[in-house]
Amino acid sequence: MLKYVLLGPLLRLMFRPRIEGLEHIPEHGAAIVAGNHLSFSDHFLMPAIIKRRITFLAKAEYFTGPGIKGRLTAAFFRSAGQIPVDRSGKEAGQAAIREGLGVLRKGELLGIYPEGTRSHDGRLYKGKVGVAAMALKAQVPVIPCAMIGTFEAQPPGKVVPRFRRVTIRFGEPLEFSRYAGMDGEKAVLRAVTDELMYAILGLSGQEYVDKYAAVVKAEEAEARAVAGRKFPRMPLS
């Protein structure tokens, strides 16, 4: 109800989204919608413009914040069709796949960000193979999606987004029936994921980086730490 009464109208007012390719979203049946991830606003924009319910896998931290703010955030995410997934530990990836397959078995839409985290600089990063594993196991199509302009509207660290127009672009569904029964092959999972990321790239026009976003973030953080040790800030006199 919140999606139709409050969330949808508010987001349309703030971002005036230009929507392209919405006809590629099936009216019935299970499918995966896989997109780039540029902004915190992405969590709500895509679900708000798709008429069907779409369930996203979101990090569990969004549901466990303290105090009134934490409870409101958790309620907001649940109202937007998000379910918590613990991303820590060795079993995190398998847990996410189990949750995603549960959604698909019910004939519903599953939303996922193959990069695994928000882009910190607006570029598109290497996709993780979990989306491929789910697509092959459930034998469902994957609809690529590109969010355009959300990074500029709400870059990392900005709490209140800017009022500016964004574009949400859906591509033709990708089907991978030729790989049926091969969901345990690492090379196949990588090939499927790379094909999907190439489709997203074609829709978004981003610069592509063939490394995982989390790895690049860690490398840049380490570089800043090293630079800080070499050139410490002098105290103001």
Side-chain angles (χ1 to χ4, degrees), residues 18 26 38 41 49 64 66 90 109 113 129 140 173 193 208 217 221:
R18 181 186 294 109
L38 295 169
S41 300
I49 61 96
T64 57
K90 294 181 180 179
L109 290 180
Y113 302 115
V129 300
V140 298
T193 305
Y208 180 73
K217 288 181 182 180

Side-chain angles (χ1 to χ4, degrees), residues 7-8 19 22 28 33 37 49 71 79 84 100 102-103 134 138 149 154 179 186 189-190 195 209 221:
L7 187 59
I19 305 164
L22 193 59
H28 308 284
V33 181
H37 192 15
I49 61 96
R71 290 195 293 272
S79 71
V103 173
M134 286 185 281
Q154 192 180 20
Y179 297 121
K186 291 183 178 179
L189 295 179
R190 174 46 56 194
E195 182 177 339
V209 181

Side-chain angles (χ1 to χ4, degrees), residues 184-222:
E185 300 289 334
K186 291 183 178 179
V188 170
L189 295 179
R190 174 46 56 194
V192 169
T193 305
D194 288 346
E195 182 177 339
L196 169 61
M197 298 310 293
Y198 184 77
I200 295 173
L201 178 64
L203 294 170
S204 71
Q206 294 169 266
E207 178 185 347
Y208 180 73
V209 181
D210 193 28
K211 297 177 72 173
Y212 294 119
V215 172
V216 174
K217 288 181 182 180
E219 291 174 348
E220 293 182 359
E222 177 61 23

